[in-house]
Structures are given as structure tokens and as C-alpha cells.
Amino acid sequence: MARITAGIGSSHVPLLGVAHDQGKDRDDYFGPIFAGYDWTRSWQQTAAPDVVILVYNDHASAFDMKIIPTFAIGCGERYKPADEGWGSREVPDVIGHPDLAWHIAQSLILDEFDMTIINEMDVDHGLTVPLSMMFGHVEQWPCRVIPLAVNVVTYPPPSGNRCWALGKAIARAVASFPEDINIQVWGTGGMSHQLQGPRAGLINAAWDNKFLDGLIGESDDLRRIPHIEYLRETGSEGIEMVMWLIMRGALGPATRLLHRHYHVPCSNTAIGHIVLEPIPLLPVEPNP
């Protein structure tokens, strides 16, 4: 059967796409940021996922105020990089996995998650920047990608608890897919940042690192963080971190840390990155 072998969390700052595309990823400013992804790029050559379920938020490229889905899953065959106002990135098209995506969509809807099904859309930096960070410059992405878009732009976003539960439902869907494929789940966005108003430029490194701590091991405390705490502690855009909880929920009851990276600043944002693997539950021995 299909299996989820790892989870990745990462910021998806658009400036990282610019630095990557313009060959500035090793200069004095961007070098320390990209160096934190070197381990992951090397590891991915061995981990070799067949499919990535990539959780991200659209930035008014595919969705706008006319339609705001809370959760949307891409079931198409191909997604082109979006033009976000300065031309589309010169990166490969994203190739989907319609069979698995439709299976997950059906499973989630029957599991009482009201998913929006998208067959045609362009994907913006929220999805393409993480691919560049994990795989570098490539002629084509080395895996298929199922986009899973979450509304964290317009109030009300989903709760952390709902995102964690969605991750668990995705794991159930994957476990029932008969094809033997290696799947990773990525949660992207964040970390602490605010782009406007009197608190523009806010970064809360202590809170960010406490959040990273909470993704490791057996605790599920992160799912109970209320919206107001994200807003107060991490800025108006810090709510993007609820998308990481979909990844964490999909990994099951416990995780093991493989790699972790944190850096400030990148533009006016904190950069966070983590690689986790699920810890299988051991069978319980009966009492003698």
C-alpha cells in the first residue's frame, strides 16, 4: 500500500525564489538561509519520494475574493507556475498525480471534510519555492505533487485542531490507496512575520522555536493553540503555521527529528525548516 515516509515543514518566502532564480543563494545574505537546506537536498536523493502532498496557501493567484475555499485539493495532471505580477518563475511545471489525488479527495469527503476539488489552476510561490528549496535547480521536479491549498489569508482560517485532524484523515486516505508508493507530506508557510501595520517586521524567535519543538515527539499540544495566540505572538501572517499541523497530523502519534534549521531574517520574515519521520507504533505485549 501507499505509505507516508516523512514530513517536511518550511517557510515559503517569495524572496527565496528570487534569490534561487538569480543565482544569489550563496551570497552573504542568502547563503546562511540556503545552507540550512543542503542537508535536505542531499537526503532527498535517497529518500526519493514518488509523490509530495504539498500544503500551502495561494496568494491571490488561483483564488481571490470571488471564491475562498478553506481546503482545496488539486486533482489535475499539470500545474504551471503562476504570474504573480512580474512574470512566472522559470521553473518546471508541476506534475500531479490524479489517481491518488482523486482517491484522497473521495476519502476526505466521505470522512466528512468538505474539500474543494480543483482540476485547473496555476501555482504560486507558496508551492514552487519549497520545491526549489528541497530540490534545487532541476530540469523537472523529481516527484509528482498534489497541491493542497488552505485559506490562511482571509478570516476565518481553519483552526489548528482542524488542520491536525485533516492530516490524520489524509494518512487514512493514503493507507487505503493500493499502489506501493513513497509519499511525503509538506507543510509550508510562516514562520512569525507581519507585513503591514505598526507591527510590520515582527519576528518572535522564541515562539517559533517552541513551535518547532512541539512538532517533535508524541505531544499534540500544538493543535490547541488558538488563532489569537498566533496573531499576538507571531504577527498577522504567522497563522500560516497551522498548515504545518496538517503535515504533523499525517505523521501519526509520534515523530523523530531528522533535520532542523532556523534563521532570521529573510526580508522581514523568520525562516523555519524541519524534517521529520513517523515513528511506527510498537505492538503491545499481552500481560503474561
Side-chain angles (χ1 to χ4, degrees):
M1 64 181 182
R3 61 206 184 280
I4 295 173
T5 58
I8 291 178
S10 178
S11 303
H12 61 213
V13 182
L15 186 59
L16 297 179
V18 175
H20 176 271
D21 298 346
Q22 295 183 359
K24 297 179 179 179
D25 52 321
R26 298 298 163 175
D27 68 13
D28 291 342
Y29 185 82
F30 291 104
I33 298 170
F34 280 83
Y37 289 81
D38 288 345
W39 183 95
T40 306
R41 290 186 183 183
S42 177
W43 168 79
Q44 286 286 28
Q45 295 177 26
T46 303
D50 299 303
V51 181
V52 167
I53 301 171
L54 205 160
V55 184
Y56 76 110
N57 64 290
D58 177 78
H59 303 77
S61 296
F63 312 120
D64 57 22
M65 294 303 292
K66 296 177 183 177
I67 180 169
I68 308 170
T70 299
F71 299 119
I73 184 168
C75 294
E77 296 183 353
R78 180 183 294 264
Y79 311 93
K80 291 188 174 298
D83 182 349
E84 300 183 62
W86 51 85
S88 58
R89 294 186 64 206
E90 294 185 5
V91 294
D93 288 357
V94 174
I95 306 301
H97 196 304
D99 288 347
L100 177 59
W102 276 103
H103 172 85
I104 293 173
Q106 173 181 285
S107 180
L108 293 178
I109 291 169
L110 295 180
D111 211 357
E112 302 186 353
F113 283 87
D114 298 324
M115 306 299 295
T116 298
I117 295 170
I118 305 293
N119 292 313
E120 293 184 10
M121 66 174 173
D122 293 343
V123 290
D124 66 16
H125 72 268
L127 187 138
T128 63
V129 165
L131 288 170
S132 294
M133 300 305 289
M134 308 309 161
F135 297 126
H137 292 279
V138 292
E139 292 296 321
Q140 61 183 21
W141 302 120
C143 61
R144 298 190 180 194
V145 177
I146 296 176
L148 201 159
V150 180
N151 170 42
V152 291
V153 175
T154 303
Y155 187 84
S159 68
N161 185 60
R162 190 62 170 162
C163 288
W164 191 293
L166 177 59
K168 293 176 68 174
I170 289 171
R172 292 192 292 270
V174 167
S176 65
F177 189 69
E179 188 177 341
D180 182 19
I181 50 177
N182 174 359
I183 297 169
Q184 293 180 3
V185 181
W186 298 4
T188 74
M191 295 186 89
S192 61
H193 63 300
Q194 179 154 326
L195 302 179
Q196 69 289 309
R199 296 202 306 165
L202 181 150
I203 292 176
N204 188 339
W207 200 98
D208 287 343
N209 279 285
K210 184 178 178 181
F211 183 88
L212 292 172
D213 292 341
L215 296 168
I216 305 163
E218 300 180 12
S219 172
D220 66 350
D221 289 348
L222 295 181
R223 68 190 299 176
R224 286 178 281 277
I225 298 172
H227 287 155
I228 191 65
E229 182 172 340
Y230 285 102
L231 181 64
R232 181 183 65 243
E233 300 294 338
T234 72
S236 53
E237 279 70 48
I239 190 63
E240 289 181 349
M241 282 184 276
V242 298
M243 296 188 291
W244 296 42
L245 302 185
I246 297 175
M247 173 273 290
R248 177 59 188 85
L251 296 184
T255 61
R256 179 183 296 112
L257 176 67
L258 299 182
H259 177 65
R260 176 171 173 169
H261 172 56
Y262 184 80
H263 179 85
V264 291
C266 174
S267 184
N268 59 353
T269 304
I271 294 293
H273 172 44
I274 198 166
V275 183
L276 303 166
E277 65 177 3
I279 300 177
L281 286 176
L282 297 176
V284 178
E285 295 290 337
N287 290 327

